[in-house]
Amino acid sequence: MSRGRFHEAPVGAVGPVPAASTDPDEYGPRVWQDTVYGRARRFYLRPDEHTMPLLARRIADKWLEICPEIHGSVGEVHGAVRGFLRDLDAQLRDTGRDNDFDLPDLRRRHLDSWEAGLLAAQRESRTDTSYRRAVFLFALLRRINDDCPGLLHGEVVARLERETRLSHVRRDGEVELPAGEADRIHAIARGVVRQALAERRGSDARSAPAADVVIALHVLLSLGTGEPPEVLRRLTIGDIIATAVPGRDDGLQCLAPTGRLAALVQRRAVRSYCVRYLKTRSSERYQQVYTRADGRVFAALSALITLTAGARETSDSSSLWLTDDGGVAVEMFWATKSRTLRAWLNRHRAEGDAFSEPVSFRRLRKTATTREALAAPGTYLRSRRRHTARTFFEHYSNSTVLRAEAGRILMQAVGERFDTAVAGPTIVTPAAEELLAAGHDAPTLDRDTAGRLLTGRLDTGVAACRDPHDSPHVAGGGLCPVSTTGACYTCPNALITRQHLPAVLRLKQLTAPERTGNITFWQEHHKPVHEFVTQVILPSFPAADVAAAQEHTGEVLLDVGLVNGLGGADVPA
């Protein structure tokens, strides 16, 4: 973050700095308006209030220009700009040339003075606000110079290329909920939702749910998905895509996506939900698939869609979180004390029931992600869906549970990597294949094996095999019985080259977790293959080779038994 830029500018010819306008309106307010939870908010920058209005106008215009690009950071950049302009007011007052002071007139001393004030404020407040303002202002000035190279003085550009002198203040994060407390909160939320669903059957189905019901649904999804509160709250109905149970969506093809989704839920015909998430601050987009095996999340999404479906027909809001406001369905406004987790628990907990501090939605997320890390530490760290391994061990493992488990988690993850390296297939990348073709030696391949590999004499249905007559899948060795089932991808005899990529991609499709009808069976039988294919094999090859192989996946012959439990025959639990 400390070296970030606001959206690299396109390269092109840059004209001279525009001349200052004599129109008084040119120095009037710059206003950015957006909505938060369905309510409008506005940010103002007023160049005419500053002692150097021309400079203030230039910076305010650039801030307004990039607002659509920086989403959740608009307010923080606004605060950084206002603070910088006010500091310059004090520095430049009564210099005799304030009115024509422009961006080329900025010098390093102006930045240093402002930064020194932020440093003093940070020492007093011990918060991260000053640091973030420095980072954002530096990034904004770099963007200005990117858009108009040579505009800023050389010493200012040189200063901007180095990090701020302020340091990032990272406090210990909130720990997960104590054992049993998350389950009590989940039980309260589930009771509120069940009651709302029961009352819905005998009342006006077009009314929106009460705020307490919406909060209960938020609790269930927080504990189920582990997503941050701000990510969940920005979900729209368009971010939910349902896959129907085969044959159960008859007659729904003509409906709009929203109507089809509601109808599928009403029929209990949803096979899986694909939820598209967006982290507005980083603009990171990702998606997750939840099947019936993900019981808590699946049930909460179904309940949320059911309770808001009728009201959505009359509402202008696309938000997933609709609530009743005087008989009108509106997007839930979360920024009030009555809609905090603490206030909600105070209204619904049993007498004498106490909860640990702090009472916040973020601790629900921490609890869910802690459970994820403990359940499958290797996968958790390798997927990087939540964060990198470095972030996890440096900042996230403040959990009392995870601190005790951190060593075990690390060693298990390292162990899985080691096992893959010494006991799994050998991947022959295109570069390695070229070296073998040129006659070079390879550490794990003798000349004879390499020659037979390159001429295709070792090929099986889905890979190449060092010796198919000495299979580790047969006691004492023997002819391999599983060479067409995908077991090659966990076998030390296997050799995988670029020509095997169609089979690799086909196996990726067949072993995808969303295809399974029995998640337990998938975890036991297909999870190791799917993870090795997606996390080790495919990243080892150039994207162009992978894309070319995609066109030939239909030519791959795999044993039909492979799809057992993946949408094929039923498998006992």
Side-chain angles (χ1 to χ4, degrees):
M1 178 178 179
S2 57
R3 291 292 302 115
R5 293 178 185 267
F6 290 127
H7 182 72
E8 296 291 347
V11 177
V14 178
V17 181
S21 171
T22 57
D23 184 351
D25 291 339
E26 288 296 315
Y27 297 95
R30 269 56 174 171
V31 185
W32 172 258
Q33 177 175 313
D34 58 12
T35 57
V36 177
Y37 307 137
R39 300 190 183 183
R41 65 171 182 173
R42 294 178 179 87
F43 296 98
Y44 293 85
L45 286 176
R46 296 179 171 88
D48 56 1
E49 291 184 348
H50 296 280
T51 59
M52 56 314 180
L54 178 56
L55 173 68
R57 177 191 139 211
R58 302 273 197 230
I59 296 178
D61 285 344
K62 182 57 66 174
W63 165 78
L64 195 61
E65 177 187 326
I66 69 169
C67 278
E69 304 169 14
I70 58 179
H71 302 295
S73 299
V74 168
E76 289 186 287
V77 180
H78 173 262
V81 170
R82 290 188 65 188
F84 180 61
L85 293 177
R86 288 172 177 172
D87 187 82
L88 285 180
D89 284 345
Q91 292 186 50
L92 302 175
R93 184 171 289 115
D94 299 327
T95 62
R97 53 162 308 210
D98 301 340
N99 288 334
D100 61 351
F101 191 95
D102 203 352
L103 282 168
D105 300 310
L106 272 179
R107 293 295 182 268
R108 174 175 171 172
R109 65 179 180 274
H110 300 133
L111 292 177
D112 288 346
S113 176
W114 170 70
E115 199 176 19
L118 289 179
L119 188 59
Q122 185 183 57
R123 287 170 178 165
E124 182 177 346
S125 66
R126 298 186 179 278
T127 67
D128 211 35
T129 302
S130 295
Y131 167 80
R132 296 181 67 82
R133 287 186 175 178
V135 168
F136 282 128
L137 195 281
F138 274 30
L140 179 61
L141 292 177
R142 280 194 292 269
R143 170 62 184 269
I144 290 173
N145 196 65
D146 288 344
D147 287 350
C148 193
L151 173 61
L152 299 179
H153 191 276
E155 67 179 38
V156 173
V157 174
R159 177 66 193 92
L160 293 175
E161 289 302 321
R162 297 198 302 276
E163 295 185 0
T164 174
R165 296 184 182 88
L166 279 75
S167 58
H168 184 19
V169 178
R170 180 178 287 276
R171 296 180 176 178
D172 285 343
E174 296 168 347
V175 299
E176 76 281 357
L177 296 166
E181 189 170 308
D183 293 333
R184 282 190 288 144
I185 294 176
H186 183 274
I188 293 172
R190 186 175 55 184
V192 171
V193 172
R194 281 182 173 176
Q195 182 178 349
L197 288 171
E199 293 174 351
R200 172 63 45 131
R201 299 186 188 101
S203 63
D204 182 9
R206 291 187 176 275
S207 62
D212 272 12
V213 177
V214 178
I215 295 171
L217 289 162
H218 186 350
V219 169
L220 295 179
L221 285 177
S222 293
L223 288 170
T225 66
E227 296 297 336
E230 65 274 12
V231 172
L232 288 175
R233 293 171 185 176
R234 75 155 307 281
L235 287 175
T236 67
I237 193 65
D239 293 322
I240 313 296
I241 302 173
T243 300
V245 174
R248 297 287 302 279
D249 59 347
D250 295 341
L252 302 182
Q253 290 80 2
C254 61
L255 296 179
T258 302
R260 177 179 178 274
L261 176 62
L264 286 175
V265 174
Q266 185 179 18
R267 291 184 182 185
R268 300 180 182 272
V270 177
R271 183 176 185 178
S272 65
Y273 292 107
C274 176
V275 183
R276 300 181 298 197
Y277 295 110
L278 169 65
K279 291 184 177 178
T280 54
R281 184 169 291 173
S282 64
S283 296
E284 177 188 357
R285 296 180 183 274
Y286 55 100
Q287 61 186 32
Q288 285 293 109
V289 175
Y290 303 102
T291 67
R292 292 181 181 274
D294 306 297
R296 287 187 171 185
V297 180
F298 193 93
L301 286 172
S302 298
L304 180 52
I305 294 167
T306 299
L307 291 170
T308 59
R312 197 173 307 284
E313 296 177 8
T314 59
S315 173
D316 294 332
S317 174
S318 63
S319 172
L320 189 63
W321 307 93
L322 295 182
T323 188
D324 180 76
D325 183 15
V328 178
V330 298
E331 181 178 350
M332 179 78 160
F333 187 73
W334 297 95
T336 63
K337 288 186 177 180
S338 65
R339 294 175 181 179
T340 61
L341 182 62
R342 181 189 301 277
W344 180 80
L345 282 174
N346 287 338
R347 293 192 292 270
H348 293 281
R349 64 185 178 183
E351 186 176 351
D353 197 4
F355 295 92
S356 59
E357 295 291 337
V359 181
S360 70
F361 281 102
R362 293 194 174 277
R363 291 187 71 196
L364 302 180
R365 182 201 185 214
K366 179 60 74 68
T367 302
T369 51
T370 296
R371 289 175 174 176
E372 281 183 25
L374 292 175
T379 302
Y380 184 88
L381 293 176
R382 286 196 302 270
S383 72
R384 309 182 80 175
R385 184 173 73 85
R386 300 290 188 195
H387 36 57
T388 63
R390 176 178 178 180
T391 300
F392 175 80
F393 283 107
E394 289 185 357
H395 305 303
Y396 203 81
S397 55
N398 64 303
S399 154
T400 54
V401 175
L402 290 182
R403 278 179 173 161
E405 295 288 330
R408 182 187 67 80
I409 292 172
L410 177 61
M411 294 311 297
Q412 181 172 338
V414 171
E416 289 183 7
R417 288 289 190 182
F418 181 78
D419 289 343
T420 296
V422 301
T426 298
I427 300 173
V428 182
T429 64
E433 199 172 341
E434 292 175 5
L435 290 175
L436 292 174
H440 294 280
D441 292 329
T444 59
L445 290 176
D446 57 71
R447 290 278 180 99
D448 179 60
T449 302
R452 288 187 292 149
L453 171 68
L454 294 176
T455 56
R457 286 178 288 167
L458 300 182
D459 282 347
T460 66
V462 295
C465 184
R466 294 173 186 269
D467 188 352
H469 296 283
D470 186 21
S471 171
H473 298 283
V474 177
L479 186 64
C480 184
V482 293
S483 61
T484 61
T485 66
C488 294
Y489 298 113
T490 56
C491 177
N493 269 7
L495 300 166
I496 301 170
T497 67
R498 155 171 49 190
Q499 73 184 61
H500 303 122
L501 285 176
V504 173
L505 291 167
R506 179 61 177 148
L507 198 63
K508 175 188 173 184
Q509 296 170 357
L510 291 174
T511 59
E514 59 266 26
R515 292 178 61 96
T516 186
N518 186 322
I519 195 64
T520 302
F521 182 89
W522 180 85
Q523 289 174 334
E524 293 176 356
H525 297 276
H526 300 303
K527 179 182 177 184
V529 174
H530 186 74
E531 290 186 347
F532 188 75
V533 164
T534 57
Q535 299 175 20
V536 180
I537 298 178
L538 291 176
S540 300
F541 291 90
D545 288 346
V546 175
Q550 188 72 53
E551 301 177 4
H552 301 284
T553 55
E555 304 167 11
V556 178
L557 298 179
L558 286 173
D559 190 333
V560 72
L562 178 67
V563 300
N564 197 19
L566 297 170
D570 291 335
V571 178

